[in-house]
Amino acid sequence: MNWLIAILQGALFIILAPLLAGWLKYCKCRLQNRKAPSLLQPYRDLLKLSNKQPVVSEQASWLFITAPYLIFSATALAATVVPLVVVDLPTSASADVIVMVGFFAFARFFLTLAGLDIGTAFGGMGSSREMTISSLAEPAMLMAIFTLTMTASTTNLSGAIAHVLDEGLVLRPSFVFALFALILVAIAETGRIPIDNPATHLELTMIHEAMILEYSGRYLALIEWASQLKLMLYGVLIANIFFPWGIAETFALKDLGYGLLAILGKLALLAIFLAVAETLVAKMRLFRVQEYLSFAYLLGLLGMLSHIILEASR
Amino acid sequence: MNIGQTDFYTQAILSLAALVGLTSFLMLGQSRLLRLIFVFALQGFLLTLTTSLAAYSLNNPHLYISAALTLLLKVIFIPWMLRREVLQMNIHRDVQTLKNKTMVMLGGASLMVFSYYVLHPIVQTTTPAMLNALAVSLSVVLLGMLLMISHRQAVAHVVGFMSIENGLFFAAIVATKGMPMVVELGIAFDVLVAAVLFGIFFLHIRSSIDSLDVDLLNRLNEVDK
């Protein structure tokens, strides 16, 4: 029963991810006075791409073909670790939050290799930028997550969320810092606006798009889907760690439905915030990204410090 | 001390302490003057919140007066005055980059650890919550000094000085549960006078070296080279 629900929840993650991307695009369009595409447009795009014949360069090795599958499955596995509608999952007992970060690193490794594989200038440029950013973002993310895990004294995400739920509303200074750090890292890692512009293929400053420029057809569909999944994963992580109220604690059908509604509402709200931020903020110069990420790291460090200084029992 | 077991007042004070510390860090990393002044006003606003919270929970009505004074002086008057001067002297578009920002920020983090380490012996004589709030306010003082050392604009120095005063004020509110009214009025008046004096200094510095970048003061020599 537990495993069934865990698998169902993973599937739900994968199915809902394009919807979140569609909703985000809808909010952004409305804020910028443009006519918005339908909420289901990302699904249509994925369908269209997967029906097209992929074109692969003759210089491509086997790595280029297998990478999209690896990236998608690693991201999907990471998604099963994160509690979406219910805590106390068998999957998050077997893999903790560090494994999740490891899955992200795995997917990114293959994405950058695939970017290098064809040998175009753009691919290599995008790969090197992605690696630069992720090498700075990952420590910041781990710092923010360690703050949470030190509070809950477990690295198991279900356990940590259950711990936060059990304690009720406690004002924790360390969580404020960790929340801001995690938001900054999430924006950097999912390639949203101050770092990377997800809506363009025609900029010299592009990062994610530069790596996947050579992909087409179903390979592109898989990679797009994986990045939508990653966006949703970060959203769920932020929503469920810091505002876990509403998530189901038992497997009763009523609780599960309530949990699903709660997480959908939280994600919709989060997407509105992201859309507002993306509308207000201009894209950053590439060489200022390290300042941005070192600020995120500093916030994570402060969160940890204030956990030890202000909260820890001694 | 586990934070889950303390009362709501302590939790709120600790959260506010953390936020005040955060604004100090934000000021340290700011390279634009107008934004620096805005963050300074934000810190003043957090102080106002702390003071009125203390007034409410300690049932100490004269703290409301000091909260109102803080709001009036540190959130409205001084930021407004600094902003007006920056706009008048037309330096609000200057981006003043720190030479080694990451080093300064990490230095700030280690100052925070240091201030905690220094205050650790006090744990025997006071409650841990008080100690934590004191450690944060000491680090706000030290971060204000670091701000004055690392930035070159005179306006940033003034903001650093004022944030040192903010740190002391925070410590006073948290540790003494409100100073006597006379002392608070005196401090508020001092800050006001200091702000006016700094305005005059700005004018003099500017008329003598035609800039507010205090590094240029090093070039002033008695003897022409």
Side-chain angles (χ1 to χ4, degrees):
Chain A
M1 182 63 185
N2 286 4
W3 283 97
L4 183 71
I5 285 186
I7 291 166
L8 276 180
Q9 182 177 279
L12 200 64
F13 238 116
I14 294 170
I15 292 167
L16 286 180
L19 187 66
L20 180 70
W23 169 244
L24 183 60
K25 190 165 258 175
Y26 179 84
C27 295
K28 247 179 106 171
C29 285
R30 295 310 300 270
L31 280 170
Q32 295 169 359
N33 256 342
R34 288 184 282 143
K35 204 171 172 214
S38 143
L39 281 182
L40 300 177
Q41 191 59 39
Y43 292 104
R44 290 185 198 136
D45 287 345
L46 289 179
L47 199 69
K48 181 191 77 184
L49 282 174
S50 53
N51 285 334
K52 276 191 172 176
Q53 186 200 2
V55 182
V56 177
S57 151
E58 46 189 39
Q59 264 86 37
S61 67
W62 58 271
L63 191 86
F64 188 76
I65 312 286
T66 40
Y69 298 102
L70 285 172
I71 292 163
F72 185 77
S73 40
T75 317
L77 277 176
T80 54
V81 178
V82 181
L84 179 69
V85 282
V86 66
V87 291
D88 189 28
L89 288 171
T91 43
S92 50
S94 57
D96 62 4
V97 64
I98 297 169
V99 176
M100 188 197 78
V101 177
F103 277 134
F104 282 151
F106 183 80
R108 188 181 306 119
F109 177 70
F110 278 98
L111 187 62
T112 47
L113 276 192
L116 290 169
D117 188 54
I118 297 284
T120 60
F122 268 126
M125 196 179 73
S127 297
S128 85
R129 285 176 182 173
E130 171 84 3
M131 271 313 181
T132 314
I133 288 176
S134 67
S135 69
L136 295 165
E138 212 163 82
M141 174 169 181
L142 279 176
M143 269 301 184
I145 281 179
F146 282 152
T147 309
L148 167 81
T149 54
M150 276 169 77
T151 308
S153 51
T154 168
T155 54
N156 175 353
L157 263 178
S158 286
I161 291 173
H163 177 86
V164 176
L165 268 180
D166 281 345
E167 285 218 317
L169 182 64
V170 178
L171 286 176
R172 287 177 184 282
S174 62
F175 271 30
V176 178
F177 289 124
L179 172 65
F180 282 121
L182 202 58
I183 288 175
L184 291 185
V185 170
I187 286 171
E189 288 257 318
T190 52
R192 305 307 299 189
I193 242 170
I195 305 294
D196 187 8
N197 193 347
T200 176
H201 304 276
L202 297 169
E203 272 184 35
L204 281 173
T205 52
M206 60 190 172
I207 300 170
H208 183 74
E209 293 296 331
M211 279 188 293
I212 63 171
L213 209 56
E214 292 289 322
Y215 274 111
S216 56
R218 57 176 177 274
Y219 304 127
L220 183 61
L222 275 178
I223 290 184
E224 292 277 322
W225 204 349
S227 63
Q228 287 162 358
L229 194 56
K230 200 173 174 188
L231 177 69
M232 173 147 169
L233 244 169
Y234 272 103
V236 170
L237 211 57
I238 290 170
N240 273 352
I241 288 178
F242 298 102
F243 314 100
W245 297 281
I247 194 168
E249 287 182 274
T250 60
F251 292 129
L253 206 58
K254 188 181 145 216
D255 281 359
L256 287 181
Y258 192 58
L260 184 63
L261 279 184
I263 190 65
L264 285 182
K266 282 187 270 187
L267 281 179
L269 214 63
L270 210 62
I272 292 174
F273 278 122
L274 185 59
V276 171
E278 288 203 338
T279 309
L280 292 178
V281 176
K283 195 178 162 308
M284 208 180 268
R285 271 194 307 140
L286 190 70
F287 294 109
R288 291 197 50 204
V289 169
Q290 52 103 1
E291 270 173 32
Y292 169 94
L293 284 172
S294 66
F295 183 62
Y297 179 79
L298 184 82
L299 281 179
L301 188 70
L302 280 181
M304 189 102 110
L305 270 181
S306 60
H307 172 75
I308 297 167
I309 295 177
L310 300 173
E311 294 163 21
S313 50
R314 58 177 116 71
Chain B
M1 178 202 63
N2 192 340
I3 192 168
Q5 290 150 6
T6 54
D7 57 346
F8 190 74
Y9 169 69
T10 318
Q11 283 177 19
I13 287 285
L14 285 181
S15 294
L16 283 171
L19 286 176
V20 168
L22 174 66
T23 48
S24 269
F25 271 99
L26 283 179
M27 281 198 258
L28 200 58
Q30 225 39 265
S31 49
R32 282 177 192 272
L33 285 177
L34 286 185
R35 225 179 290 166
L36 181 72
I37 294 166
F38 174 73
V39 179
F40 171 71
L42 207 66
Q43 192 176 47
F45 184 67
L46 287 172
L47 271 186
T48 313
L49 277 186
T50 318
T51 318
S52 32
L53 189 73
Y56 176 73
S57 78
L58 302 172
N59 208 4
N60 199 347
H62 88 252
L63 277 178
Y64 282 121
I65 301 175
S66 107
L69 270 179
T70 315
L71 184 72
L72 217 63
L73 278 181
K74 285 182 193 149
V75 187
I76 299 169
F77 177 69
I78 293 176
W80 172 78
M81 198 198 75
L82 285 174
R83 191 187 151 84
R84 200 193 58 173
E85 272 160 14
V86 166
L87 287 178
Q88 265 178 5
M89 301 191 184
N90 208 14
I91 46 177
H92 60 286
R93 291 197 191 281
D94 294 3
V95 179
Q96 164 225 24
T97 44
L98 292 177
K99 276 184 192 118
N100 36 13
K101 196 169 179 179
T102 318
M103 287 295 281
V104 171
M105 295 301 255
L106 284 179
S110 46
L111 276 182
M112 203 163 194
V113 178
F114 171 75
S115 62
Y116 181 68
Y117 174 75
V118 168
L119 284 173
H120 198 257
I122 310 179
V123 78
Q124 277 85 19
T125 54
T126 178
T127 61
M130 201 71 78
L131 168 77
N132 296 327
L134 275 181
V136 169
S137 54
L138 178 61
S139 66
V140 168
V141 171
L142 291 177
L143 286 174
M145 289 183 187
L146 188 62
L147 179 74
M148 291 173 77
I149 295 169
S150 57
H151 284 239
R152 287 177 303 159
Q153 292 281 5
V155 180
H157 289 206
V158 172
V159 172
F161 179 80
M162 296 287 175
S163 91
I164 290 177
E165 205 276 330
N166 277 351
L168 292 176
F169 189 77
F170 187 79
I173 293 294
V174 176
T176 65
K177 315 202 162 170
M179 294 174 287
M181 201 61 222
V182 184
V183 180
E184 267 172 35
L185 281 177
I187 291 176
F189 191 65
D190 274 357
V191 169
L192 188 65
V193 170
V196 174
L197 280 182
F198 282 131
I200 297 167
F201 269 129
F202 284 161
L203 280 181
H204 280 273
I205 294 178
R206 187 163 165 82
S207 63
S208 62
I209 61 172
D210 203 27
S211 160
L212 279 184
D213 186 339
V214 291
D215 267 13
L216 295 179
L217 287 176
N218 290 340
R219 291 197 203 150
L220 296 177
N221 271 316
E222 297 256 335
V223 198
D224 282 333
K225 278 182 187 164

